[in-house]
Amino acid sequence: MSSNVAPATPVKSTGLHVGEASPGVAKRDPILIANQVRRQFGGLTAVDVEHLEIPRHAITALIGPNGAGKTTLFNLLTGFDTANTGTWSFNGKSLAGVSAFKVARMGLIRTFQLTKALSLLTVMDNMKLGSTQQLGEKLWASVFPMLWRKKESEIEEQALDLLARFNLDSKKDDYAASLSGGQRKLLEMARALMTKPEFVMLDEPMAGVNPALTQSLLEHILNLKKAGMTVLFVEHDMHMVRHIADWVIVMAEGKVIAEGSPDEVMKNPAVVDAYLGSHQDIDLGTVTGRITLPKIGKGK
């Protein structure tokens, strides 16, 4: 049975921005602010974001056609890639040039489109890897169990609680390799929460997931917001975006071309053109600034 549509409509956050909704619009309480972020690969400009703010305590969807630069932007903001230019900050602290593991410890965590579960470790061991401040991971302390056993018990308790919430507790002793694609997505999301993050970035959480698990993932994303976290996720399913997102950011050709509520963005001709190419009178290149059409006069 398909469960693409949730049984209840989630409560949406409103009043997130100041002024008219447009690319780079200011937010009332931004958790992340980026300026002049550019990433080039040879002659290709993958990301060229002039200004971007992510609203706090809201679910923001980052959408756009394949090759729009969404995952590259994720990589830049979380320290997995290095920008050619630009600055960005999280809770007022600069993240430019900060290593990925330090970004995670600051409270900004991300998942991947292709899950990074370690297949030859058990589900429980994968969860433990997500925890921080385990003294037993230090070589000198590892030989003195009395220094880390209490912390290890606390970590296991936290992991078991999360696995139960994600319906994976029965799999705790199984190897991650035995999990289905959807279960691996759940494991990766659960492991991300081991760090007790403030901001969670999900890169295509529904990609390759069996429809039977889609509803479960949707509910978990909504629960992140209920728990006080901020969520930014990449998704291509517009029905899902419309259902759970409070705010939508649209990228095309490396640039942010639109922002707004889901209903507003879905009606934007530039967004429709970016996905479907159905508005022949609007060239996406003119929206992103890639090309400039000559002005046509009244007479020849």
Side-chain angles (χ1 to χ4, degrees):
M1 180 177 69
S2 177
S3 54
N4 291 330
V5 180
T9 301
V11 177
K12 297 294 188 76
S13 298
T14 58
L16 299 173
H17 64 293
V18 180
E20 183 180 354
S22 59
V25 64
K27 307 303 187 299
R28 296 190 184 279
D29 184 17
I31 190 171
L32 185 143
I33 301 175
N35 287 297
Q36 306 297 331
V37 178
R38 177 183 283 254
R39 179 66 168 108
Q40 293 176 300
F41 297 95
L44 172 67
T45 300
V47 171
D48 187 9
V49 174
E50 183 176 341
H51 183 78
L52 180 65
E53 299 185 11
I54 306 299
R56 190 186 306 272
H57 300 319
I59 298 177
T60 300
L62 179 61
I63 69 173
N66 291 329
K70 305 181 296 297
T71 295
T72 301
L73 180 61
F74 260 45
N75 291 339
L76 295 173
L77 297 180
T78 54
F80 285 87
D81 195 6
T82 303
N84 296 98
T85 62
T87 60
W88 56 100
S89 61
F90 169 63
N91 278 334
K93 298 178 181 178
S94 175
L95 293 184
V98 178
S99 300
F101 77 94
K102 292 182 179 179
V103 172
R105 289 178 179 176
M106 292 170 68
L108 195 168
I109 200 78
R110 60 85 55 92
T111 64
F112 296 83
Q113 180 178 350
L114 300 176
T115 56
K116 302 297 181 180
L118 300 180
S119 299
L120 298 183
L121 291 182
T122 65
V123 169
M124 175 58 78
D125 286 340
N126 268 274
M127 291 292 289
K128 288 180 179 180
L129 285 175
S131 182
T132 58
Q133 300 178 340
Q134 168 54 289
L135 188 61
E137 293 179 352
K138 297 183 182 298
L139 180 61
W140 66 268
S142 65
V143 297
F144 301 106
M146 73 286 294
L147 296 178
W148 50 263
R149 273 181 178 157
K150 181 180 179 181
K151 183 65 175 179
E152 183 76 359
S153 296
E154 293 174 355
I155 291 172
E156 285 191 5
E157 184 178 351
Q158 180 191 4
L160 282 171
D161 178 64
L162 285 168
L163 288 174
R165 284 164 52 187
F166 283 80
N167 297 318
L168 291 173
D169 47 326
S170 64
K171 302 284 187 179
K172 66 183 180 67
D173 296 322
D174 295 350
Y175 287 111
S178 69
L179 300 181
S180 68
Q183 289 173 329
R184 288 192 179 207
K185 292 278 187 177
L186 290 172
L187 173 59
E188 186 157 271
M189 194 181 299
R191 184 176 60 186
L193 298 186
M194 289 292 291
T195 65
K196 299 179 180 178
E198 187 175 349
F199 185 10
V200 180
M201 297 172 61
L202 309 171
D203 192 355
E204 296 199 33
M206 303 298 173
V209 175
N210 187 306
L213 283 177
T214 299
Q215 181 58 45
S216 177
L217 280 166
L218 281 174
E219 291 174 356
H220 288 304
I221 294 173
L222 290 169
N223 287 336
L224 297 180
K225 177 185 172 182
K226 292 178 182 178
M229 291 175 239
T230 301
V231 178
L232 174 65
F233 73 101
V234 173
E235 185 52 54
H236 289 287
D237 187 335
M238 294 300 100
H239 294 291
M240 193 193 87
V241 169
R242 188 189 294 269
H243 180 69
I244 70 171
D246 302 305
W247 191 258
V248 179
I249 298 169
V250 188
M251 289 187 69
E253 298 182 355
K255 296 178 180 288
V256 175
I257 64 169
E259 287 193 53
S261 68
D263 289 336
E264 292 172 339
V265 165
M266 301 306 176
K267 297 175 184 176
N268 189 315
V271 176
V272 176
D273 185 64
Y275 273 99
L276 305 175
S278 60
H279 286 69
Q280 302 302 322
D281 57 333
I282 301 176
D283 191 298
L284 184 58
T286 65
V287 177
T288 62
R290 174 173 53 84
I291 63 173
T292 302
L293 295 178
K295 295 182 179 180
I296 301 176
K298 295 183 179 179
K300 292 185 178 180

